[in-house]
Amino acid sequence: MESKLSIRGDKVKNRLEELRKERGIRQEELAEAMEVSRQTIGSLENGRYNPSIMLAFKLAKYFDMSIEDIFIYEEE
Amino acid sequence: MTEKELKQKLYLNIAFVVLGLAMIITGWVLTAIREGTSSEITGLGSGIFAIGLLRVLQIRKILKGDKDALQKLKEGYDERNVMIYNKAMSMTMKICLFAAFIALFVLYVLEETVIANTIATVVCGSMVVYLICHWIYSKKY
């Protein structure tokens, strides 16, 4: 199998904003539940920041979904 | 963050307050008996004292159950803020090193060898510390 070397080309999209709005949760509330700042939630939703694996797991648990359902890995 | 960790932070910051006060007093005493770098010592001490005192007050609030103070502390250790801090520190170090190399070049050209040697020692010392830290972290992870 061919292996690809990708440097900073891969992207991770997420459905965080969509899921949060579906459930009628404010950014502040989600931030408090995740023990992060509201800015972090904003940056995650805008795709400017990728979460640590721990935060990804916490978010998945909070929304009762798997990580792959929230975060979508896109290979370049 | 556990209560034990918070208490450890409290004691550490109380130590900073004491250190700051000791530096302020040392600065005052030295100002009274001689001229020189005494006011700088007072200035440094004031900074350490103020930061330590603010932290002590914040941690005391948290230990008393203040939710706003706890949220502020959590935000301080928020992973994005930690990443920003680390990136900023890394970039600052790179810029400082670059500036130090330029300063060294200029100072050696101007034959200001004492200042140049001091800067060179600091740069070399930093590099040694970096190598040690790199070795420790590469063993750890």
mmCIF file with all atom_site columns, all heavy atoms in Angstrom, chain A residues 6-14 46-51 70-76:
data_model
loop_
_atom_site.group_PDB
_atom_site.id
_atom_site.type_symbol
_atom_site.label_atom_id
_atom_site.label_alt_id
_atom_site.label_comp_id
_atom_site.label_asym_id
_atom_site.label_entity_id
_atom_site.label_seq_id
_atom_site.pdbx_PDB_ins_code
_atom_site.Cartn_x
_atom_site.Cartn_y
_atom_site.Cartn_z
_atom_site.occupancy
_atom_site.B_iso_or_equiv
_atom_site.pdbx_formal_charge
_atom_site.auth_seq_id
_atom_site.auth_comp_id
_atom_site.auth_asym_id
_atom_site.auth_atom_id
_atom_site.pdbx_PDB_model_num
ATOM 1   N N   . SER A 1 6  ? 2.304   13.728 4.194  1.00 0.00 ? 6  SER A N   1
ATOM 2   C CA  . SER A 1 6  ? 1.589   14.996 4.074  1.00 0.00 ? 6  SER A CA  1
ATOM 3   C C   . SER A 1 6  ? 2.026   15.937 5.185  1.00 0.00 ? 6  SER A C   1
ATOM 4   O O   . SER A 1 6  ? 1.951   15.593 6.348  1.00 0.00 ? 6  SER A O   1
ATOM 5   C CB  . SER A 1 6  ? 0.086   14.743 4.164  1.00 0.00 ? 6  SER A CB  1
ATOM 6   O OG  . SER A 1 6  ? -0.589  15.956 4.083  1.00 0.00 ? 6  SER A OG  1
ATOM 7   N N   . ILE A 1 7  ? 2.533   17.084 4.788  1.00 0.00 ? 7  ILE A N   1
ATOM 8   C CA  . ILE A 1 7  ? 2.957   18.060 5.792  1.00 0.00 ? 7  ILE A CA  1
ATOM 9   C C   . ILE A 1 7  ? 1.998   19.248 5.753  1.00 0.00 ? 7  ILE A C   1
ATOM 10  O O   . ILE A 1 7  ? 1.958   20.011 4.796  1.00 0.00 ? 7  ILE A O   1
ATOM 11  C CB  . ILE A 1 7  ? 4.415   18.521 5.561  1.00 0.00 ? 7  ILE A CB  1
ATOM 12  C CG1 . ILE A 1 7  ? 5.343   17.316 5.640  1.00 0.00 ? 7  ILE A CG1 1
ATOM 13  C CG2 . ILE A 1 7  ? 4.814   19.560 6.583  1.00 0.00 ? 7  ILE A CG2 1
ATOM 14  C CD1 . ILE A 1 7  ? 6.740   17.565 5.176  1.00 0.00 ? 7  ILE A CD1 1
ATOM 15  N N   . ARG A 1 8  ? 1.205   19.348 6.815  1.00 0.00 ? 8  ARG A N   1
ATOM 16  C CA  . ARG A 1 8  ? 0.257   20.456 6.989  1.00 0.00 ? 8  ARG A CA  1
ATOM 17  C C   . ARG A 1 8  ? -0.763  20.550 5.860  1.00 0.00 ? 8  ARG A C   1
ATOM 18  O O   . ARG A 1 8  ? -1.318  21.611 5.605  1.00 0.00 ? 8  ARG A O   1
ATOM 19  C CB  . ARG A 1 8  ? 1.002   21.788 7.152  1.00 0.00 ? 8  ARG A CB  1
ATOM 20  C CG  . ARG A 1 8  ? 1.800   21.815 8.438  1.00 0.00 ? 8  ARG A CG  1
ATOM 21  C CD  . ARG A 1 8  ? 2.532   23.116 8.572  1.00 0.00 ? 8  ARG A CD  1
ATOM 22  N NE  . ARG A 1 8  ? 3.437   23.064 9.691  1.00 0.00 ? 8  ARG A NE  1
ATOM 23  C CZ  . ARG A 1 8  ? 4.225   24.046 10.064 1.00 0.00 ? 8  ARG A CZ  1
ATOM 24  N NH1 . ARG A 1 8  ? 4.210   25.173 9.418  1.00 0.00 ? 8  ARG A NH1 1
ATOM 25  N NH2 . ARG A 1 8  ? 5.031   23.929 11.083 1.00 0.00 ? 8  ARG A NH2 1
ATOM 26  N N   . GLY A 1 9  ? -0.969  19.474 5.141  1.00 0.00 ? 9  GLY A N   1
ATOM 27  C CA  . GLY A 1 9  ? -1.937  19.507 4.051  1.00 0.00 ? 9  GLY A CA  1
ATOM 28  C C   . GLY A 1 9  ? -3.292  18.982 4.481  1.00 0.00 ? 9  GLY A C   1
ATOM 29  O O   . GLY A 1 9  ? -4.306  19.411 3.951  1.00 0.00 ? 9  GLY A O   1
ATOM 30  N N   . ASP A 1 10 ? -3.292  18.059 5.453  1.00 0.00 ? 10 ASP A N   1
ATOM 31  C CA  . ASP A 1 10 ? -4.534  17.440 5.877  1.00 0.00 ? 10 ASP A CA  1
ATOM 32  C C   . ASP A 1 10 ? -5.358  18.412 6.720  1.00 0.00 ? 10 ASP A C   1
ATOM 33  O O   . ASP A 1 10 ? -4.816  19.278 7.391  1.00 0.00 ? 10 ASP A O   1
ATOM 34  C CB  . ASP A 1 10 ? -4.237  16.168 6.675  1.00 0.00 ? 10 ASP A CB  1
ATOM 35  C CG  . ASP A 1 10 ? -3.428  15.176 5.854  1.00 0.00 ? 10 ASP A CG  1
ATOM 36  O OD1 . ASP A 1 10 ? -3.380  15.351 4.629  1.00 0.00 ? 10 ASP A OD1 1
ATOM 37  O OD2 . ASP A 1 10 ? -2.857  14.252 6.440  1.00 0.00 ? 10 ASP A OD2 1
ATOM 38  N N   . LYS A 1 11 ? -6.685  18.189 6.639  1.00 0.00 ? 11 LYS A N   1
ATOM 39  C CA  . LYS A 1 11 ? -7.565  19.092 7.376  1.00 0.00 ? 11 LYS A CA  1
ATOM 40  C C   . LYS A 1 11 ? -8.550  18.305 8.222  1.00 0.00 ? 11 LYS A C   1
ATOM 41  O O   . LYS A 1 11 ? -8.910  17.185 7.883  1.00 0.00 ? 11 LYS A O   1
ATOM 42  C CB  . LYS A 1 11 ? -8.353  19.973 6.404  1.00 0.00 ? 11 LYS A CB  1
ATOM 43  C CG  . LYS A 1 11 ? -7.578  21.137 5.849  1.00 0.00 ? 11 LYS A CG  1
ATOM 44  C CD  . LYS A 1 11 ? -8.435  21.930 4.897  1.00 0.00 ? 11 LYS A CD  1
ATOM 45  C CE  . LYS A 1 11 ? -7.617  23.033 4.246  1.00 0.00 ? 11 LYS A CE  1
ATOM 46  N NZ  . LYS A 1 11 ? -8.377  23.703 3.184  1.00 0.00 ? 11 LYS A NZ  1
ATOM 47  N N   . VAL A 1 12 ? -8.974  18.909 9.310  1.00 0.00 ? 12 VAL A N   1
ATOM 48  C CA  . VAL A 1 12 ? -10.032 18.316 10.125 1.00 0.00 ? 12 VAL A CA  1
ATOM 49  C C   . VAL A 1 12 ? -11.178 19.316 10.206 1.00 0.00 ? 12 VAL A C   1
ATOM 50  O O   . VAL A 1 12 ? -10.993 20.436 10.667 1.00 0.00 ? 12 VAL A O   1
ATOM 51  C CB  . VAL A 1 12 ? -9.517  17.962 11.545 1.00 0.00 ? 12 VAL A CB  1
ATOM 52  C CG1 . VAL A 1 12 ? -10.658 17.423 12.402 1.00 0.00 ? 12 VAL A CG1 1
ATOM 53  C CG2 . VAL A 1 12 ? -8.400  16.941 11.477 1.00 0.00 ? 12 VAL A CG2 1
ATOM 54  N N   . LYS A 1 13 ? -12.321 18.902 9.685  1.00 0.00 ? 13 LYS A N   1
ATOM 55  C CA  . LYS A 1 13 ? -13.516 19.748 9.798  1.00 0.00 ? 13 LYS A CA  1
ATOM 56  C C   . LYS A 1 13 ? -14.338 19.217 10.962 1.00 0.00 ? 13 LYS A C   1
ATOM 57  O O   . LYS A 1 13 ? -14.157 18.079 11.386 1.00 0.00 ? 13 LYS A O   1
ATOM 58  C CB  . LYS A 1 13 ? -14.333 19.677 8.510  1.00 0.00 ? 13 LYS A CB  1
ATOM 59  C CG  . LYS A 1 13 ? -13.722 20.473 7.375  1.00 0.00 ? 13 LYS A CG  1
ATOM 60  C CD  . LYS A 1 13 ? -14.678 20.492 6.208  1.00 0.00 ? 13 LYS A CD  1
ATOM 61  C CE  . LYS A 1 13 ? -14.132 21.357 5.080  1.00 0.00 ? 13 LYS A CE  1
ATOM 62  N NZ  . LYS A 1 13 ? -15.009 21.326 3.906  1.00 0.00 ? 13 LYS A NZ  1
ATOM 63  N N   . ASN A 1 14 ? -15.248 20.041 11.448 1.00 0.00 ? 14 ASN A N   1
ATOM 64  C CA  . ASN A 1 14 ? -16.109 19.530 12.517 1.00 0.00 ? 14 ASN A CA  1
ATOM 65  C C   . ASN A 1 14 ? -17.537 20.066 12.402 1.00 0.00 ? 14 ASN A C   1
ATOM 66  O O   . ASN A 1 14 ? -17.789 21.060 11.728 1.00 0.00 ? 14 ASN A O   1
ATOM 67  C CB  . ASN A 1 14 ? -15.500 19.839 13.884 1.00 0.00 ? 14 ASN A CB  1
ATOM 68  C CG  . ASN A 1 14 ? -15.531 21.306 14.209 1.00 0.00 ? 14 ASN A CG  1
ATOM 69  O OD1 . ASN A 1 14 ? -16.585 21.869 14.468 1.00 0.00 ? 14 ASN A OD1 1
ATOM 70  N ND2 . ASN A 1 14 ? -14.361 21.953 14.175 1.00 0.00 ? 14 ASN A ND2 1
ATOM 71  N N   . ASN A 1 46 ? -14.935 27.676 14.145 1.00 0.00 ? 46 ASN A N   1
ATOM 72  C CA  . ASN A 1 46 ? -14.446 28.340 12.930 1.00 0.00 ? 46 ASN A CA  1
ATOM 73  C C   . ASN A 1 46 ? -13.400 27.516 12.189 1.00 0.00 ? 46 ASN A C   1
ATOM 74  O O   . ASN A 1 46 ? -12.994 27.880 11.092 1.00 0.00 ? 46 ASN A O   1
ATOM 75  C CB  . ASN A 1 46 ? -13.803 29.690 13.286 1.00 0.00 ? 46 ASN A CB  1
ATOM 76  C CG  . ASN A 1 46 ? -14.826 30.680 13.761 1.00 0.00 ? 46 ASN A CG  1
ATOM 77  O OD1 . ASN A 1 46 ? -15.984 30.613 13.362 1.00 0.00 ? 46 ASN A OD1 1
ATOM 78  N ND2 . ASN A 1 46 ? -14.425 31.594 14.624 1.00 0.00 ? 46 ASN A ND2 1
ATOM 79  N N   . GLY A 1 47 ? -12.927 26.463 12.817 1.00 0.00 ? 47 GLY A N   1
ATOM 80  C CA  . GLY A 1 47 ? -11.909 25.608 12.193 1.00 0.00 ? 47 GLY A CA  1
ATOM 81  C C   . GLY A 1 47 ? -10.514 26.183 12.287 1.00 0.00 ? 47 GLY A C   1
ATOM 82  O O   . GLY A 1 47 ? -9.598  25.720 11.611 1.00 0.00 ? 47 GLY A O   1
ATOM 83  N N   . ARG A 1 48 ? -10.345 27.196 13.159 1.00 0.00 ? 48 ARG A N   1
ATOM 84  C CA  . ARG A 1 48 ? -9.005  27.790 13.304 1.00 0.00 ? 48 ARG A CA  1
ATOM 85  C C   . ARG A 1 48 ? -8.133  26.964 14.243 1.00 0.00 ? 48 ARG A C   1
ATOM 86  O O   . ARG A 1 48 ? -6.921  27.094 14.268 1.00 0.00 ? 48 ARG A O   1
ATOM 87  C CB  . ARG A 1 48 ? -9.123  29.214 13.865 1.00 0.00 ? 48 ARG A CB  1
ATOM 88  C CG  . ARG A 1 48 ? -9.616  30.238 12.878 1.00 0.00 ? 48 ARG A CG  1
ATOM 89  C CD  . ARG A 1 48 ? -9.280  31.642 13.376 1.00 0.00 ? 48 ARG A CD  1
ATOM 90  N NE  . ARG A 1 48 ? -9.784  31.868 14.707 1.00 0.00 ? 48 ARG A NE  1
ATOM 91  C CZ  . ARG A 1 48 ? -10.927 32.461 14.986 1.00 0.00 ? 48 ARG A CZ  1
ATOM 92  N NH1 . ARG A 1 48 ? -11.701 32.883 14.009 1.00 0.00 ? 48 ARG A NH1 1
ATOM 93  N NH2 . ARG A 1 48 ? -11.317 32.633 16.230 1.00 0.00 ? 48 ARG A NH2 1
ATOM 94  N N   . TYR A 1 49 ? -8.786  26.131 15.062 1.00 0.00 ? 49 TYR A N   1
ATOM 95  C CA  . TYR A 1 49 ? -8.048  25.371 16.065 1.00 0.00 ? 49 TYR A CA  1
ATOM 96  C C   . TYR A 1 49 ? -8.558  23.932 16.111 1.00 0.00 ? 49 TYR A C   1
ATOM 97  O O   . TYR A 1 49 ? -9.774  23.711 16.079 1.00 0.00 ? 49 TYR A O   1
ATOM 98  C CB  . TYR A 1 49 ? -8.227  26.048 17.435 1.00 0.00 ? 49 TYR A CB  1
ATOM 99  C CG  . TYR A 1 49 ? -7.643  25.282 18.587 1.00 0.00 ? 49 TYR A CG  1
ATOM 100 C CD1 . TYR A 1 49 ? -6.272  25.123 18.707 1.00 0.00 ? 49 TYR A CD1 1
ATOM 101 C CD2 . TYR A 1 49 ? -8.467  24.717 19.549 1.00 0.00 ? 49 TYR A CD2 1
ATOM 102 C CE1 . TYR A 1 49 ? -5.736  24.405 19.751 1.00 0.00 ? 49 TYR A CE1 1
ATOM 103 C CE2 . TYR A 1 49 ? -7.937  23.997 20.610 1.00 0.00 ? 49 TYR A CE2 1
ATOM 104 C CZ  . TYR A 1 49 ? -6.576  23.847 20.706 1.00 0.00 ? 49 TYR A CZ  1
ATOM 105 O OH  . TYR A 1 49 ? -6.052  23.140 21.736 1.00 0.00 ? 49 TYR A OH  1
ATOM 106 N N   . ASN A 1 50 ? -7.622  22.984 16.140 1.00 0.00 ? 50 ASN A N   1
ATOM 107 C CA  . ASN A 1 50 ? -7.990  21.573 16.291 1.00 0.00 ? 50 ASN A CA  1
ATOM 108 C C   . ASN A 1 50 ? -7.811  21.165 17.751 1.00 0.00 ? 50 ASN A C   1
ATOM 109 O O   . ASN A 1 50 ? -6.779  21.474 18.348 1.00 0.00 ? 50 ASN A O   1
ATOM 110 C CB  . ASN A 1 50 ? -7.116  20.689 15.404 1.00 0.00 ? 50 ASN A CB  1
ATOM 111 C CG  . ASN A 1 50 ? -7.506  20.826 13.947 1.00 0.00 ? 50 ASN A CG  1
ATOM 112 O OD1 . ASN A 1 50 ? -8.670  21.012 13.629 1.00 0.00 ? 50 ASN A OD1 1
ATOM 113 N ND2 . ASN A 1 50 ? -6.520  20.759 13.080 1.00 0.00 ? 50 ASN A ND2 1
ATOM 114 N N   . PRO A 1 51 ? -8.789  20.439 18.314 1.00 0.00 ? 51 PRO A N   1
ATOM 115 C CA  . PRO A 1 51 ? -8.692  20.119 19.740 1.00 0.00 ? 51 PRO A CA  1
ATOM 116 C C   . PRO A 1 51 ? -7.692  19.009 20.024 1.00 0.00 ? 51 PRO A C   1
ATOM 117 O O   . PRO A 1 51 ? -7.318  18.249 19.123 1.00 0.00 ? 51 PRO A O   1
ATOM 118 C CB  . PRO A 1 51 ? -10.109 19.646 20.073 1.00 0.00 ? 51 PRO A CB  1
ATOM 119 C CG  . PRO A 1 51 ? -10.590 19.040 18.819 1.00 0.00 ? 51 PRO A CG  1
ATOM 120 C CD  . PRO A 1 51 ? -9.986  19.845 17.712 1.00 0.00 ? 51 PRO A CD  1
ATOM 121 N N   . ILE A 1 70 ? -18.297 13.749 14.871 1.00 0.00 ? 70 ILE A N   1
ATOM 122 C CA  . ILE A 1 70 ? -18.150 15.204 15.089 1.00 0.00 ? 70 ILE A CA  1
ATOM 123 C C   . ILE A 1 70 ? -17.013 15.778 14.241 1.00 0.00 ? 70 ILE A C   1
ATOM 124 O O   . ILE A 1 70 ? -17.151 16.827 13.621 1.00 0.00 ? 70 ILE A O   1
ATOM 125 C CB  . ILE A 1 70 ? -17.890 15.502 16.591 1.00 0.00 ? 70 ILE A CB  1
ATOM 126 C CG1 . ILE A 1 70 ? -19.025 14.932 17.441 1.00 0.00 ? 70 ILE A CG1 1
ATOM 127 C CG2 . ILE A 1 70 ? -17.760 17.003 16.825 1.00 0.00 ? 70 ILE A CG2 1
ATOM 128 C CD1 . ILE A 1 70 ? -18.789 15.029 18.933 1.00 0.00 ? 70 ILE A CD1 1
ATOM 129 N N   . PHE A 1 71 ? -15.906 15.059 14.227 1.00 0.00 ? 71 PHE A N   1
ATOM 130 C CA  . PHE A 1 71 ? -14.729 15.550 13.500 1.00 0.00 ? 71 PHE A CA  1
ATOM 131 C C   . PHE A 1 71 ? -14.517 14.736 12.221 1.00 0.00 ? 71 PHE A C   1
ATOM 132 O O   . PHE A 1 71 ? -14.506 13.507 12.271 1.00 0.00 ? 71 PHE A O   1
ATOM 133 C CB  . PHE A 1 71 ? -13.489 15.482 14.382 1.00 0.00 ? 71 PHE A CB  1
ATOM 134 C CG  . PHE A 1 71 ? -13.596 16.362 15.592 1.00 0.00 ? 71 PHE A CG  1
ATOM 135 C CD1 . PHE A 1 71 ? -14.019 15.846 16.801 1.00 0.00 ? 71 PHE A CD1 1
ATOM 136 C CD2 . PHE A 1 71 ? -13.306 17.716 15.514 1.00 0.00 ? 71 PHE A CD2 1
ATOM 137 C CE1 . PHE A 1 71 ? -14.144 16.652 17.920 1.00 0.00 ? 71 PHE A CE1 1
ATOM 138 C CE2 . PHE A 1 71 ? -13.427 18.532 16.622 1.00 0.00 ? 71 PHE A CE2 1
ATOM 139 C CZ  . PHE A 1 71 ? -13.848 18.000 17.823 1.00 0.00 ? 71 PHE A CZ  1
ATOM 140 N N   . ILE A 1 72 ? -14.375 15.450 11.124 1.00 0.00 ? 72 ILE A N   1
ATOM 141 C CA  . ILE A 1 72 ? -14.214 14.786 9.819  1.00 0.00 ? 72 ILE A CA  1
ATOM 142 C C   . ILE A 1 72 ? -12.806 15.051 9.294  1.00 0.00 ? 72 ILE A C   1
ATOM 143 O O   . ILE A 1 72 ? -12.420 16.199 9.068  1.00 0.00 ? 72 ILE A O   1
ATOM 144 C CB  . ILE A 1 72 ? -15.277 15.285 8.809  1.00 0.00 ? 72 ILE A CB  1
ATOM 145 C CG1 . ILE A 1 72 ? -16.675 15.042 9.398  1.00 0.00 ? 72 ILE A CG1 1
ATOM 146 C CG2 . ILE A 1 72 ? -15.134 14.602 7.465  1.00 0.00 ? 72 ILE A CG2 1
ATOM 147 C CD1 . ILE A 1 72 ? -17.483 16.304 9.526  1.00 0.00 ? 72 ILE A CD1 1
ATOM 148 N N   . TYR A 1 73 ? -12.069 13.956 9.147  1.00 0.00 ? 73 TYR A N   1
ATOM 149 C CA  . TYR A 1 73 ? -10.685 14.069 8.659  1.00 0.00 ? 73 TYR A CA  1
ATOM 150 C C   . TYR A 1 73 ? -10.681 14.108 7.139  1.00 0.00 ? 73 TYR A C   1
ATOM 151 O O   . TYR A 1 73 ? -11.275 13.255 6.481  1.00 0.00 ? 73 TYR A O   1
ATOM 152 C CB  . TYR A 1 73 ? -9.881  12.872 9.166  1.00 0.00 ? 73 TYR A CB  1
ATOM 153 C CG  . TYR A 1 73 ? -8.495  12.769 8.585  1.00 0.00 ? 73 TYR A CG  1
ATOM 154 C CD1 . TYR A 1 73 ? -7.526  13.727 8.862  1.00 0.00 ? 73 TYR A CD1 1
ATOM 155 C CD2 . TYR A 1 73 ? -8.155  11.709 7.756  1.00 0.00 ? 73 TYR A CD2 1
ATOM 156 C CE1 . TYR A 1 73 ? -6.259  13.625 8.328  1.00 0.00 ? 73 TYR A CE1 1
ATOM 157 C CE2 . TYR A 1 73 ? -6.880  11.596 7.216  1.00 0.00 ? 73 TYR A CE2 1
ATOM 158 C CZ  . TYR A 1 73 ? -5.941  12.562 7.511  1.00 0.00 ? 73 TYR A CZ  1
ATOM 159 O OH  . TYR A 1 73 ? -4.685  12.465 6.981  1.00 0.00 ? 73 TYR A OH  1
ATOM 160 N N   . GLU A 1 74 ? -10.033 15.136 6.595  1.00 0.00 ? 74 GLU A N   1
ATOM 161 C CA  . GLU A 1 74 ? -9.961  15.271 5.138  1.00 0.00 ? 74 GLU A CA  1
ATOM 162 C C   . GLU A 1 74 ? -8.518  15.226 4.689  1.00 0.00 ? 74 GLU A C   1
ATOM 163 O O   . GLU A 1 74 ? -7.728  16.110 5.029  1.00 0.00 ? 74 GLU A O   1
ATOM 164 C CB  . GLU A 1 74 ? -10.607 16.585 4.691  1.00 0.00 ? 74 GLU A CB  1
ATOM 165 C CG  . GLU A 1 74 ? -12.117 16.535 4.766  1.00 0.00 ? 74 GLU A CG  1
ATOM 166 C CD  . GLU A 1 74 ? -12.747 17.802 4.221  1.00 0.00 ? 74 GLU A CD  1
ATOM 167 O OE1 . GLU A 1 74 ? -12.019 18.793 3.985  1.00 0.00 ? 74 GLU A OE1 1
ATOM 168 O OE2 . GLU A 1 74 ? -13.962 17.799 4.020  1.00 0.00 ? 74 GLU A OE2 1
ATOM 169 N N   . GLU A 1 75 ? -8.189  14.205 3.896  1.00 0.00 ? 75 GLU A N   1
ATOM 170 C CA  . GLU A 1 75 ? -6.828  14.078 3.384  1.00 0.00 ? 75 GLU A CA  1
ATOM 171 C C   . GLU A 1 75 ? -6.703  14.944 2.142  1.00 0.00 ? 75 GLU A C   1
ATOM 172 O O   . GLU A 1 75 ? -7.617  14.966 1.323  1.00 0.00 ? 75 GLU A O   1
ATOM 173 C CB  . GLU A 1 75 ? -6.556  12.617 3.035  1.00 0.00 ? 75 GLU A CB  1
ATOM 174 C CG  . GLU A 1 75 ? -5.131  12.211 3.264  1.00 0.00 ? 75 GLU A CG  1
ATOM 175 C CD  . GLU A 1 75 ? -4.972  10.708 3.135  1.00 0.00 ? 75 GLU A CD  1
ATOM 176 O OE1 . GLU A 1 75 ? -5.985  10.007 3.014  1.00 0.00 ? 75 GLU A OE1 1
ATOM 177 O OE2 . GLU A 1 75 ? -3.832  10.264 3.149  1.00 0.00 ? 75 GLU A OE2 1
ATOM 178 N N   . GLU A 1 76 ? -5.578  15.614 2.016  1.00 0.00 ? 76 GLU A N   1
ATOM 179 C CA  . GLU A 1 76 ? -5.424  16.494 0.851  1.00 0.00 ? 76 GLU A CA  1
ATOM 180 C C   . GLU A 1 76 ? -5.106  15.685 -0.393 1.00 0.00 ? 76 GLU A C   1
ATOM 181 O O   . GLU A 1 76 ? -4.303  14.768 -0.324 1.00 0.00 ? 76 GLU A O   1
ATOM 182 C CB  . GLU A 1 76 ? -4.323  17.509 1.097  1.00 0.00 ? 76 GLU A CB  1
ATOM 183 C CG  . GLU A 1 76 ? -4.444  18.709 0.195  1.00 0.00 ? 76 GLU A CG  1
ATOM 184 C CD  . GLU A 1 76 ? -3.340  19.721 0.440  1.00 0.00 ? 76 GLU A CD  1
ATOM 185 O OE1 . GLU A 1 76 ? -2.162  19.315 0.362  1.00 0.00 ? 76 GLU A OE1 1
ATOM 186 O OE2 . GLU A 1 76 ? -3.652  20.878 0.698  1.00 0.00 ? 76 GLU A OE2 1
#
